[in-house]
Amino acid sequence: MKQQPHARHVPVGRPTEPLGPGSLTWKFFGDWRGVLLAPWAGAMQNMHPGLGAGVAEHSRFFEERWERLFRSLYPIGGVVYDGPCAAATARQVRGYHDTIKGVDRHGRPYHALDPDTFYWAHSTFFMLTLLVADRFGPGLSEDEKRQLFDEHVRWWRLYGMSMRPVPESWPAFQAYWDRMAREVLEDNQPTRDVLDIRFIARPPALSWLPHPVWRVLRGPQARFTVWFTVGLFPAPVRERLGHRWTVRDERRLRLLGRLVHHVWRFVPFRYRYHPRARAGWAREAGLRAADAPQVESPVRNSPPPEERDSPKHYVPPSPPESPSRARFPV
């Protein structure tokens, strides 16, 4: 893989300043609309050869989809929203990947902490943030996209990883993203599994729904989710996975994005964000003590009992901290 020029350097000895409430990343990354893009992020990540191999050989994600998704949002979100503790949270997230390594079925060695592999996952979170804002939010100018790019570089530095794979600018990142889509990403079983949600369990928000009703709704919901996800893929990825996308499809997706944006404006601020993000907003507003314990995932999202001693898992403490219920200024 061709090496990219180094991104902007931090002077030696000066710690990276974590992102704060003035950033666009804070505004959009912890927004619940991002969950709509979870299948997109999962598929894009798994198409990377090294990342897909790690999922195939080390992950039980497909046995606990909802629990894994909602559990992971806490530490991953914490790297953005934990303020003075963000670097420690980043080291925690990095540590979960230390033992994920091996040789894939093609004989290629992989390690989740290979900088190119780890950066690919990070780049999908950056692009998820951009898509939430641009396709399901108010839209972004080119200057705002550059700002989000610069913020994602600061976010990356918190992990303490090599800067080698990080493009030096927003235009360079666009070239990187296009090259990855055209030349690097692969059609593999973990990607297919992400998109196969025909038999997915009820999401936690619909736990009140009777199982027979969910079984009736599950098929249409799965078809809609795949259509929605495919529409956000880069064109080369759609083609590699064998999906067709028409001008009519694109028009419908953009109309849906505008609808989501306009409806979301009526959601009170305190309900728009994931609990870890809400805690960050509350801390910055002076409504939560700076030294308050981190908001952790509910125990119901814990890994299976036999997996809880594995170093690759975040296991929420028991009892969990309650999410902040403070009211926020809109």
Side-chain angles (χ1 to χ4, degrees), residues 126-127 130 142 145-146 149 168-175:
F126 159 53
M127 285 298 291
L130 188 149
E142 279 302 301
K145 291 175 183 178
R146 290 188 184 93
F149 170 83
E168 64 179 352
S169 65
W170 167 236
F173 178 88
Q174 291 173 281

Side-chain angles (χ1 to χ4, degrees), residues 227-262:
W227 172 83
F228 176 91
T229 300
V230 164
L232 297 173
F233 284 150
V237 168
R238 282 199 294 263
E239 294 167 8
R240 187 160 299 123
L241 295 176
H243 292 284
R244 185 168 171 268
W245 191 252
T246 66
V247 173
R248 186 182 184 189
D249 286 323
E250 182 65 22
R251 186 181 304 119
R252 287 179 171 178
L253 183 59
R254 290 191 177 274
L255 286 173
L256 175 63
R258 301 317 297 162
L259 177 63
V260 170
H261 166 59
H262 289 301

